[in-house]
Amino acid sequence: HRFNSKIIRLKGRIISFNQNLSSSSSSSSSSVPSRDRCPLARGLESMAPLVRSVEETPDPIPTTITGRIPSWVNGSFLRNGPGKFEFGKDRYTHWFDGMAMMHRFHISDGDVTYSSRFLRSDSYIHNSEKNRIVVSEFGTVAMPDPCKNIFARFFSRFQIPKATDNASVNFVKYKGDYYVSTETNYMRRVDPQSLETKEKVDWTQYIAVNSATAHPHYSRDGATYNMGNSYGKGGFFYNIIRVPPPDETAAKADSPDFAGAEVICSIPAAEPRKPSYYHSFVMSENYIVFIEQPIKLDLLKFMLYRIQGKSFHKVMIWEPKYDTIFHLVNRHTGKVSKVRYRAAPMFTLHQINAYEDNGFLVMDMCCGDDGDSIGDFTLENLRKGSGEEMDKFYNSLCRNLPRRYVLPLTVDQKTPLDQNLVTLNSFKATATMTKPGEVRLNLELHDDELLQYGGLEFPQINYEKHNGRPYRYFYSCGFGNVFSDSLLKMDVHTKELKVWRYPGLYPSEPVFVASPQATDEDDGVVMSVIITPREEKSTFLLVLDAKTFTELGRAEVPVNVPYGTHGVFNEMG
């Protein structure tokens, strides 16, 4: 595990690298895959204990506090992720397939309680009733009922299965209500205090989309924006969705409210038979950017995958022969820019932030140069043994790293060809109009210093104050193993990096919570759930001072928690 003992010993010190950005057009390292530039890991420990089924804790239990959790932190840290990986003798194939488990760390006046519940989705209930997997997931195809005769089992393969409502990706909000979400057309409303499962919500009953992401954006007027697919005789479209703020004059009903939801823009797929997969999108104060990346969905295989017995992740194909296309949309009018912004092939799951600056849109995001990695996170791979087996798997993975792209917003017929249009000081990203109506983007790249941490993912910012606006800091996870083994704070102005890293401890996505009297962007705390494969029931909630990135306190809870996905802080909890 200690493949870089120098960095492991840092434990929160500041590492400064003021020259960490370089233009991809002039950097020879940018053409080399990130995994080939990372130090080879040796002696990694197995992650198997972090991807096993656990029991729920429906009634809140106390935690043991070490240090001090600020008394002003009052609310609930909510986390989501897979928590059950088998039913009877049936086993799931992919990490994404596990049944959704919700976790709640409730914080009040320096004390913390913990509770958890499995989402009572239709998938969970039907699987439990049959004691086998009867609902297909991302990487696991449900087998025909063995009680049926041979002809019924054969013909059942020709039935396209219904989408799962196993919403294990994130907690999201619409009109003040909390939902757990995945990437199908289904969500589940939940009680953020009791974690009780409530109504099942089908997007298709409100607007003409067949799915939606688990990463919506929230505007300052209370509206929620998301993206979803639609397909039919007219082709395949990427749709921008707007759900309006709650009507403050109307009586609040205890039921889902999507009145006024609308599609404000539909973008046709550049390759109708091979649309792109996407996990999130970009939003600034006035624009939304959809990134059409070369992770393609083979629609022919998608229609036939049931007959072939293949799971959904088998129809996702990394095709770097296609460019990455950035579709720029006015968030207020829904109008798509006629300018086509293109960049070299890359893939992105999570955006850091985007903001407008003197006629340019600056976009920061975590990117990789090999989109095959999504399908690699099978439970078989994640449960490989310590040492050589795990080393080989980890060293084969793509590393995601921060990149900056800059879109010029004032491109017109008078814009000159073949010269850099980016005039912002100290920015090394470039944009060049290669022909009328088409702009080629070259990225600003990190320095190789970040490769010492295995790259980074799960970025978070001071969202309430700085989403869509100029910002200085972001927080993320470093990936020195197949699961994150460090927490990172990046100053995008000075390029300083602060690190929290201890051997054998694996943090969740960090979440920033601002202090009530905050004057600086990083006045507040950063929270993360820490788990370990080395000791049973040794989970704790870590609370860091966001400014110094040093530990303030922790709340130890005697339960096993599997590695999860995303979380939020609910101040009303």
Side-chain angles (χ1 to χ4, degrees):
H1 178 79
R2 300 190 182 193
F3 65 92
N4 193 318
S5 60
K6 177 182 177 182
I7 289 179
I8 287 175
R9 288 199 301 270
L10 290 171
K11 296 181 181 178
R13 288 177 53 197
I14 301 175
I15 301 95
S16 178
F17 47 104
N18 290 323
Q19 301 299 323
N20 81 315
L21 295 178
S22 60
S23 170
S24 65
S25 60
S26 60
S27 171
S28 60
S29 65
S30 65
S31 60
V32 180
S34 57
R35 64 166 159 258
D36 295 338
R37 307 200 314 274
C38 280
L40 284 178
R42 293 184 176 88
L44 294 179
E45 61 188 324
S46 174
M47 296 291 98
L50 307 186
V51 284
R52 63 182 177 184
S53 298
V54 299
E55 299 295 325
E56 62 182 2
T57 307
D59 297 319
I61 60 174
T63 64
T64 301
I65 305 296
T66 302
R68 183 185 66 85
I69 296 176
S71 59
W72 57 262
V73 182
N74 285 283
S76 296
F77 185 26
L78 304 173
R79 293 272 306 154
N80 199 354
K84 184 175 177 61
F85 301 96
E86 67 281 315
F87 285 93
K89 296 181 180 180
D90 289 356
R91 302 288 185 268
Y92 285 116
T93 300
H94 200 280
W95 177 51
F96 295 169
D97 301 340
M99 292 292 97
M101 190 177 205
M102 302 173 288
H103 308 266
R104 177 180 184 250
F105 289 86
H106 182 63
I107 307 167
S108 179
D109 297 324
D111 290 325
V112 181
T113 60
Y114 169 80
S115 58
S116 64
R117 284 180 184 263
F118 283 111
L119 179 71
R120 264 52 180 189
S121 61
D122 288 351
S123 298
Y124 179 90
I125 292 171
H126 294 158
N127 292 339
S128 298
E129 290 174 348
K130 298 291 186 180
N131 197 32
R132 65 182 186 89
I133 297 172
V134 298
V135 180
S136 294
E137 300 290 342
F138 175 78
T140 304
V141 176
M143 291 295 101
D145 188 344
C147 296
K148 293 181 178 179
N149 64 43
I150 187 171
F151 297 105
R153 292 200 302 271
F154 173 74
F155 285 110
S156 69
R157 283 197 174 272
F158 293 86
Q159 299 171 359
I160 299 298
K162 293 183 178 179
T164 181
D165 65 337
N166 176 36
S168 62
V169 178
N170 205 359
F171 279 86
V172 299
K173 288 182 77 173
Y174 293 95
K175 295 192 176 184
D177 284 340
Y178 273 97
Y179 299 80
V180 285
S181 180
T182 180
E183 296 186 324
T184 69
N185 54 304
Y186 294 121
M187 297 186 296
R188 279 283 185 166
R189 194 165 74 101
V190 295
D191 186 319
Q193 297 188 42
S194 68
L195 301 181
E196 175 190 358
T197 302
K198 297 187 143 184
E199 298 91 346
K200 180 179 178 179
V201 173
D202 182 352
W203 275 108
T204 65
Q205 301 302 305
Y206 299 96
I207 51 177
V209 296
N210 305 107
S211 64
T213 81
H215 288 288
H217 275 294
Y218 308 101
S219 64
R220 288 175 176 81
D221 65 357
T224 303
Y225 291 82
N226 206 340
M227 289 201 64
N229 297 329
S230 64
Y231 48 88
K233 293 181 179 179
F236 194 103
F237 295 88
Y238 314 108
N239 303 286
I240 298 174
I241 304 162
R242 181 181 183 271
V243 178
D247 184 352
E248 301 295 344
T249 64
K252 176 62 177 174
D254 187 22
S255 60
D257 179 8
F258 286 85
E262 60 179 338
V263 171
I264 64 170
C265 176
S266 294
I267 302 168
E271 299 288 335
R273 294 183 180 180
K274 287 187 177 181
S276 294
Y277 168 77
Y278 58 96
H279 188 70
S280 61
F281 60 99
V282 176
M283 190 172 88
S284 68
E285 289 196 298
N286 294 296
Y287 296 96
I288 285 174
V289 178
F290 168 65
I291 302 170
E292 193 170 11
Q293 56 191 356
I295 302 180
K296 298 295 185 177
L297 306 179
D298 189 317
L299 291 187
L300 178 60
K301 287 185 178 180
F302 179 75
M303 299 303 293
L304 297 176
Y305 86 113
R306 175 69 171 180
I307 301 171
Q308 297 172 341
K310 292 184 177 181
S311 57
F312 180 70
H313 81 285
K314 295 290 186 181
V315 304
M316 296 175 64
I317 307 167
W318 171 242
E319 295 201 4
K321 66 180 181 181
Y322 294 105
D323 276 346
T324 302
I325 303 174
F326 298 82
H327 298 274
L328 179 69
V329 180
N330 185 303
R331 181 161 69 87
H332 308 294
T333 66
K335 184 178 180 180
V336 183
S337 171
K338 294 181 180 179
V339 178
R340 183 65 62 94
Y341 300 89
R342 291 182 175 271
M346 65 85 170
F347 89 98
T348 179
L349 293 175
H350 301 112
Q351 319 306 312
I352 302 172
N353 198 13
Y355 61 92
E356 297 148 42
D357 185 354
N358 291 311
F360 297 91
L361 179 62
V362 180
M363 303 184 302
D364 295 341
M365 60 192 74
C366 293
C367 301
D369 42 34
D370 181 356
D372 282 331
S373 60
I374 292 178
D376 291 337
F377 277 69
T378 64
L379 291 170
E380 179 183 7
N381 284 335
L382 296 176
R383 290 168 176 165
K384 287 185 181 297
S386 299
E388 186 176 350
E389 282 191 4
M390 183 56 77
D391 295 349
K392 183 178 180 181
F393 172 55
Y394 171 78
N395 289 328
S396 72
L397 294 174
C398 172
R399 309 294 195 272
N400 284 9
L401 294 154
R403 294 182 181 182
R404 170 167 287 179
Y405 294 90
V406 179
L407 276 63
L409 300 173
T410 56
V411 176
D412 56 27
Q413 293 178 345
K414 298 180 181 179
T415 301
L417 294 174
D418 301 323
Q419 71 180 51
N420 182 21
L421 304 177
V422 179
T423 57
L424 298 173
N425 290 333
S426 75
F427 280 43
K428 296 182 180 179
T430 65
T432 305
M433 192 160 78
T434 55
K435 60 183 180 181
E438 186 164 301
V439 173
R440 189 75 181 181
L441 305 177
N442 282 317
L443 57 95
E444 233 178 74
L445 192 64
H446 65 93
D447 183 76
D448 283 359
E449 186 81 27
L450 278 173
L451 297 173
Q452 302 296 321
Y453 298 95
L456 60 84
E457 254 295 348
F458 293 150
Q460 290 285 322
I461 62 171
N462 182 341
Y463 190 94
E464 183 177 353
K465 296 295 184 182
H466 289 273
N467 184 59
R469 295 175 173 175
Y471 75 113
R472 182 167 181 172
Y473 305 105
F474 74 86
Y475 314 90
S476 62
C477 288
F479 278 77
N481 203 320
V482 295
F483 287 146
S484 51
D485 69 340
S486 62
L487 293 170
L488 309 175
K489 176 188 178 182
M490 171 70 80
D491 183 328
V492 300
H493 290 178
T494 67
K495 311 305 183 288
E496 286 182 341
L497 185 69
K498 296 183 180 180
V499 182
W500 186 95
R501 191 184 204 186
Y502 288 82
L505 299 183
Y506 296 86
S508 73
E509 171 191 63
V511 170
F512 174 84
V513 181
S515 65
Q517 307 301 322
T519 56
D520 294 333
E521 180 183 334
D522 59 348
D523 280 345
V525 298
V526 169
M527 297 183 185
S528 176
V529 177
I530 313 298
I531 56 180
T532 178
R534 299 184 179 185
E535 189 174 348
E536 288 288 303
K537 299 182 177 180
S538 298
T539 300
F540 63 91
L541 173 67
L542 174 69
V543 181
L544 299 176
D545 182 313
K547 190 174 287 290
T548 64
F549 224 52
T550 55
E551 181 173 343
L552 294 174
R554 62 178 66 180
E556 300 172 356
V557 56
V559 298
N560 290 321
V561 172
Y563 192 79
T565 48
H566 298 288
V568 298
F569 186 75
N570 175 26
E571 294 185 10
M572 303 299 291

